[in-house]
Amino acid sequence: MKRFLRENSLGLVFGLLFLVVLVGQAVAGHADFNRMQLSEGLPEVSLGRYLTSASFGTDVAENWQSEYLQFFLYTFLTVWLLQKGSPESKSLDEAGLESDRDQKVGAFATDDSPPWARARGWRLHLFSNSLGIVMGLIFVGSWAAQSVAGVAAYNEEQLGDLQDPVSWAQYVREPDFWNRTLQNWQSELLAVASIAILAIYLRQRGSPQSKPVGAAHTATGIEG
């Protein structure tokens, strides 16, 4: 058990932190939602009712889709795009898909390579792009969930203001939807640019997101 915990500590800790923060968001969001309900002369709702509400669903989904947009773009764009001096970039002479030998696929697969790395045709192509594809699918799914929950929450406000509800197609053209979406996208893109550029000149000893403390600022694609 101790070995399992040590070897999987990164995923386990982040998974636990995710659950703690999600519970915190639910409790704080529930309190804030009921505050707004009372201010508008409406009854409070239970925590269970809030967790199944469009308001909570929108808040969760809009953050998920922006995070997975970041991962999707970062996974694909770093195949070709470089940043001199950054550990987040590949070496300056490695842009592109790299050779089969470097990627250990096909005839160059090793005994412990995944089975599809030794395959040919569509299976190898799919496995070779599976990380980016899955990140992209989660992004699209989260974006769709945000839009569906968002239109429900938006229509609740519309009806409360004695205005006509809108369809999903109308909602995804509304400023409310794109304001929610773009404010998350810009923060994620800024975060990626920040870590890629700041890691050129700053260090964190022992972190794989940083170069070795004594590495030159111009050293590219090496990790501490």
Side-chain angles (χ1 to χ4, degrees):
M1 177 59 72
K2 290 178 63 176
R3 179 178 179 181
F4 173 82
L5 293 175
R6 180 177 180 276
E7 293 179 349
N8 297 277
S9 56
L10 183 61
L12 291 172
V13 168
F14 270 92
L16 179 61
L17 289 174
F18 163 73
L19 293 176
V20 169
V21 173
L22 184 62
V23 170
Q25 178 189 351
V27 172
H30 177 235
D32 186 56
F33 185 84
N34 277 337
R35 179 188 60 80
M36 295 179 62
Q37 288 284 98
L38 292 175
S39 69
E40 296 174 1
L42 299 172
E44 294 184 345
V45 301
S46 67
L47 178 60
R49 172 68 182 83
Y50 172 70
L51 293 179
T52 58
S53 69
S55 178
F56 181 70
T58 302
D59 290 342
V60 171
E62 72 182 30
N63 284 285
W64 287 11
Q65 57 92 5
S66 64
E67 294 292 344
Y68 281 99
L69 173 67
Q70 174 194 140
F71 294 144
F72 168 69
L73 291 178
Y74 192 71
T75 299
F76 273 114
L77 294 182
T78 50
V79 174
W80 302 98
L81 304 184
L82 306 170
Q83 180 63 56
K84 184 176 180 180
S86 177
E88 301 296 320
S89 167
K90 296 197 293 186
S91 297
L92 300 180
D93 58 350
E94 294 181 353
L97 299 177
E98 303 176 12
S99 68
D100 286 355
R101 181 185 296 275
D102 290 335
Q103 289 291 310
K104 299 180 179 180
V105 298
F108 301 100
T110 61
D111 291 340
D112 58 353
S113 294
W116 280 28
R118 294 191 291 269
R120 299 284 185 178
W122 68 270
R123 289 186 299 168
L124 177 58
H125 180 74
L126 180 61
F127 185 63
S128 297
N129 296 280
S130 55
L131 179 60
I133 290 171
V134 169
M135 292 296 180
L137 290 174
I138 297 175
F139 160 66
V140 172
S142 300
W143 182 88
Q146 177 201 344
S147 67
V148 171
V151 71
Y154 184 79
N155 281 335
E156 287 179 1
E157 295 181 3
Q158 289 287 97
L159 293 173
D161 295 335
L162 302 179
Q163 298 183 33
D164 293 333
V166 300
S167 67
W168 178 85
Q170 290 173 313
Y171 176 67
V172 295
R173 299 195 299 270
E174 287 285 337
D176 178 80
F177 174 73
W178 287 106
N179 178 51
R180 286 176 171 271
T181 298
L182 295 176
Q183 67 178 308
N184 284 283
W185 288 6
Q186 56 86 15
S187 64
E188 300 303 332
L189 297 174
L190 175 63
V192 172
S194 297
I195 188 64
I197 295 172
L198 291 177
I200 298 173
Y201 305 103
L202 306 179
R203 307 287 190 270
Q204 183 59 56
R205 184 167 182 163
S207 174
Q209 302 303 312
S210 168
K211 294 184 287 188
V213 177
H217 290 327
T218 56
T220 306
I222 63 171
E223 299 174 346

